[in-house]
Amino acid sequence: MGIISIGNVVTYAASILKFTDAVGRMAILLNRLKGYAVFAGDYVEYMNLPQRKHEGAIPVEKRRDGKFSVEFDHVSFRYPGSETYVLKDLNLKFEIGEKMVIVGKNGSGKTTFIKLLCRLYDVTEGCIKVNGIDIRKYDYAEYCGLFAVVFQDFQVFSFPLGENVASGSDVDAKRAEEALERAGLGDRYRRLPEGLRTSIGKEFEENGVTFSGGEKQKTAIARAIYKDAPFVIMDEPTAALDPESECEVYAGFDKMVGNKTSIYISHRLASCRFCQDILVFDQGKVIQRGSHEELEHQTGLYRELWEAQAQYYA
Ligand code: ADP
């Protein structure tokens, strides 16, 4: 009848098709959204959990001289839901700038000691003081900022290397490179296809790289170096490393630690040889404390452990 031109018919027909297609896709998306909302709900619920550790409000003293003193005052601890004390009436003091090594058999409470110091758990009895103030009174986030810790069960995420080192998406490239260098990953880093942007693992990036256990551990160490906190704590820092990397990492520690307080938990007593302050843990107590020379000449667990390992250092 000549009312609509052929061109218009084609346009309208195409629009109707597009419209129905879009409505169909929207229905599918809405359906998926319902599924995602379940996950998001868990996330929101988790993020909204009240943070009991946030009760303290005192800001941590910002000291240019980096002077901090730490005191464990009659500290006892048992894990929530457990009846047995993992730490019993622990009393000790140390100052920043000191290098301390903790040794002892497995299960003697070394890691727990560190977890308490970092406030991953609160003490059951007694109190821990930093600069004379109960650590529970400090602002939690600020307090956490004092520590750079490499735990045994560190995590390296399937994100770009730079973000792994900086623990976030805001990466200071120069600082990250320096941290990697000091952690002994410099050569490996220079061989990476996209430098700091190279993804670790292939979960999200096809051309991501797979790191060995030792390389992951060095990445975790680089993360601690990057954080540049006044306390550096390493829990069995070299457990996953071969002897050569171990030497490299120890040399790096000394450079990185400078005048900071450093605490190493170590099962290799060779690392104690030059240390002035060694704590020997046994069944939740510190049973010996002193320099290598002092402890070596005392009968006790330290000498036993040293002699048991000495054959490897001969
Ligand atoms: P170490 O570092 O000297 O090997 P830990 O501090 O890891 O010792 O462990 C001390 C004791 O605490 C062990 O007997 C261990 O089984 C127990 N323990 C460690 N973590 C937990 C936990 N999350 N819940 C209950 N018990 C734990």
Side-chain angles (χ1 to χ4, degrees):
M1 295 165 75
I3 301 174
I4 331 175
S5 69
I6 291 184
N8 278 347
V9 171
V10 173
T11 313
Y12 294 145
S15 310
I16 291 167
L17 271 180
K18 275 205 152 176
F19 180 72
T20 44
D21 181 46
V23 170
R25 268 192 290 154
M26 200 157 86
I28 294 172
L29 277 180
L30 280 177
N31 208 20
R32 278 203 208 142
L33 204 64
K34 225 168 78 182
Y36 293 146
V38 177
F39 295 112
D42 286 346
Y43 172 76
V44 171
E45 200 178 321
Y46 174 73
M47 294 308 283
N48 284 339
L49 282 178
Q51 171 55 280
R52 279 180 293 153
K53 290 195 170 132
H54 280 183
E55 282 160 9
I58 304 181
V60 175
E61 217 178 334
K62 312 271 181 314
R63 302 189 65 134
R64 282 185 158 257
D65 59 358
K67 280 250 178 290
F68 290 91
S69 67
V70 178
E71 183 181 356
F72 275 62
D73 184 7
H74 296 282
V75 169
S76 297
F77 177 74
R78 42 173 202 237
Y79 280 97
S82 160
E83 287 300 305
T84 31
Y85 278 93
V86 175
L87 295 179
K88 282 165 245 156
D89 198 29
L90 201 61
N91 288 295
L92 60 99
K93 260 187 184 177
F94 54 92
E95 301 280 332
I96 195 151
E98 288 178 358
K99 191 171 161 180
M100 207 158 83
V101 177
I102 302 180
V103 298
K105 296 181 182 159
N106 282 341
S108 56
K110 305 182 296 292
T111 304
T112 307
F113 168 76
I114 299 300
K115 288 183 176 166
L116 289 182
L117 179 62
C118 301
R119 276 204 77 191
L120 294 184
Y121 291 94
D122 279 331
V123 297
T124 315
E125 285 154 33
C127 87
I128 303 172
K129 293 179 195 159
V130 167
N131 291 349
I133 296 175
D134 188 336
I135 58 173
R136 284 168 289 195
K137 294 195 176 138
Y138 285 117
D139 178 271
Y140 186 65
E142 276 208 17
Y143 184 75
C144 290
L146 291 180
F147 300 95
V149 195
V150 183
F151 281 109
Q152 268 173 305
D153 50 354
F154 60 86
Q155 297 293 330
V156 171
F157 302 98
S158 295
F159 289 139
L161 176 65
E163 293 185 21
N164 263 294
V165 172
S167 316
S169 49
D170 199 3
V171 185
D172 179 337
K174 196 161 163 275
R175 204 162 126 197
E177 278 168 17
E178 224 176 85
L180 287 165
E181 194 71 53
R182 285 212 245 159
L185 262 184
D187 285 341
R188 182 79 175 93
Y189 163 69
R190 280 184 284 279
R191 280 185 282 122
L192 290 177
E194 291 176 69
L196 291 173
R197 284 195 301 277
T198 311
S199 208
I200 301 182
K202 297 187 183 294
E203 283 87 344
F204 300 121
E205 283 290 337
E206 246 175 61
N207 52 359
V209 294
T210 314
F211 267 14
S212 69
E215 287 166 342
K216 283 187 184 160
Q217 191 161 31
K218 287 180 183 175
T219 309
I221 292 171
R223 187 187 291 153
I225 299 176
Y226 183 94
K227 189 171 175 187
D228 194 25
F231 286 78
V232 184
I233 301 174
M234 308 267 175
D235 192 351
E236 311 265 18
T238 52
L241 302 180
D242 53 70
E244 201 179 318
S245 305
E246 186 182 338
C247 275
E248 202 175 64
V249 166
Y250 274 121
F253 281 166
D254 287 344
K255 265 195 265 166
M256 118 193 205
V257 167
N259 63 350
K260 296 173 180 163
T261 299
S262 62
I263 306 176
Y264 306 145
I265 298 185
S266 181
H267 58 183
R268 305 204 192 181
L269 271 68
S271 58
C272 298
R273 214 179 274 174
F274 306 106
C275 187
Q276 294 309 309
D277 196 9
I278 302 167
L279 298 182
V280 186
F281 270 70
D282 191 36
Q283 298 184 2
K285 281 181 179 270
V286 175
I287 53 164
Q288 289 178 288
R289 181 174 183 176
S291 68
H292 172 71
E293 286 79 31
E294 286 161 11
L295 296 181
E296 196 189 22
H297 296 111
Q298 274 175 23
T299 20
L301 184 61
Y302 185 82
R303 205 158 94 182
E304 266 174 49
L305 293 171
W306 177 261
E307 279 167 6
Q309 291 191 7
Q311 49 179 315
Y312 301 117
Y313 310 132

